[in-house]
Amino acid sequence: MTGPISEIMSGLTEALAVGSLILGILQCFFGFRLLRFWISVTGFLLGLYLGRTISSKFISEPRYAPWLIGIVCGFLLCFLAYRIYLSGVFIFCGLLAASVIGMIPFPEGRAWKVVLYILMAGGFVLAGVLAVKFSRPAVIFITAGAGAAASVHALALMKTNLSGNADLQKLVIAVLFAAGAAVQFLTTRRDA
């Protein structure tokens, strides 16, 4: 693919990588402080998706109706996730852990895909339970780790020195994780 479409796609990929990098850094260093915001956004997106998907099975006209129902469901779930804080913590931290596990490269094949899904489900439940049981430290470690991994993944997509260098990627993730966790522990209250 060459020409203007290729340039647009390349620019879009770069913009998404920069956005992912910014969100990853915010998550790494301010994840605990931004937790209620992220919980609300996750609740909205989940409600939007479920509301639109389910209503589109029953309502076909007008074509915008499933989207409107999805938006209403999104706002309802956003409000619920914000109000029912610990269930939001469970879901949010579980999704972060599952997404990090999903980044692990596995060999091709159906059996490996099943193993990956089992690990993602186990990581979701384990991270969710730990986040609820030990809210502050668990959220800090999970958000710092997920933010560090997302940042390095974004940097690798930008064709930086991290591209194709797995050892350097692991080192940068470890340094970002340690720095992000330290900043979050130092800038949040113990009783939060």
Side-chain angles (χ1 to χ4, degrees):
M1 188 170 17
T2 60
I5 293 176
S6 176
E7 291 177 24
I8 291 171
M9 294 305 290
S10 176
L12 183 61
T13 301
E14 289 176 21
L16 288 173
V18 169
S20 181
L21 175 64
I22 291 168
L23 287 175
I25 289 172
L26 284 172
Q27 186 72 0
C28 184
F29 289 94
F30 304 104
F32 188 80
R33 288 188 174 272
L34 296 172
L35 183 62
R36 285 198 188 248
F37 171 76
W38 293 126
I39 287 172
S40 299
V41 168
T42 302
F44 176 78
L45 293 174
L46 186 62
L48 174 68
Y49 173 76
L50 291 175
R52 194 197 84 58
T53 302
I54 293 169
S55 67
S56 68
K57 304 290 184 206
F58 302 103
I59 302 171
S60 59
E61 291 296 326
R63 297 183 69 91
Y64 60 84
W67 282 102
L68 287 177
I69 292 169
I71 289 170
V72 169
C73 290
F75 279 116
L76 286 172
L77 204 55
C78 170
F79 176 75
L80 271 172
Y82 186 83
R83 299 298 290 169
I84 306 170
Y85 178 70
L86 288 180
S87 59
V89 168
F90 180 90
I91 292 169
F92 180 70
C93 289
L95 287 174
L96 281 179
S99 67
V100 168
I101 292 169
M103 289 183 199
I104 298 171
F106 276 87
E108 293 294 319
R110 188 176 181 154
W112 285 108
K113 202 163 239 3
V114 170
V115 169
L116 175 64
Y117 290 145
I118 290 170
L119 288 174
M120 287 173 71
F124 177 87
V125 171
L126 181 64
V129 168
L130 288 173
V132 169
K133 180 89 171 131
F134 307 104
S135 185
R136 180 175 174 261
V139 168
I140 288 173
F141 285 129
I142 290 168
T143 57
S151 299
V152 169
H153 183 70
L155 285 170
L157 289 175
M158 293 178 184
K159 308 286 189 240
T160 61
N161 291 341
L162 293 174
S163 300
N165 190 339
D167 292 333
L168 184 58
Q169 288 179 13
K170 291 173 189 170
L171 177 66
V172 173
I173 287 173
V175 169
L176 274 176
F177 169 73
V183 167
Q184 288 190 61
F185 274 113
L186 293 172
T187 61
T188 59
R189 297 187 327 237
R190 293 190 194 289
D191 60 344

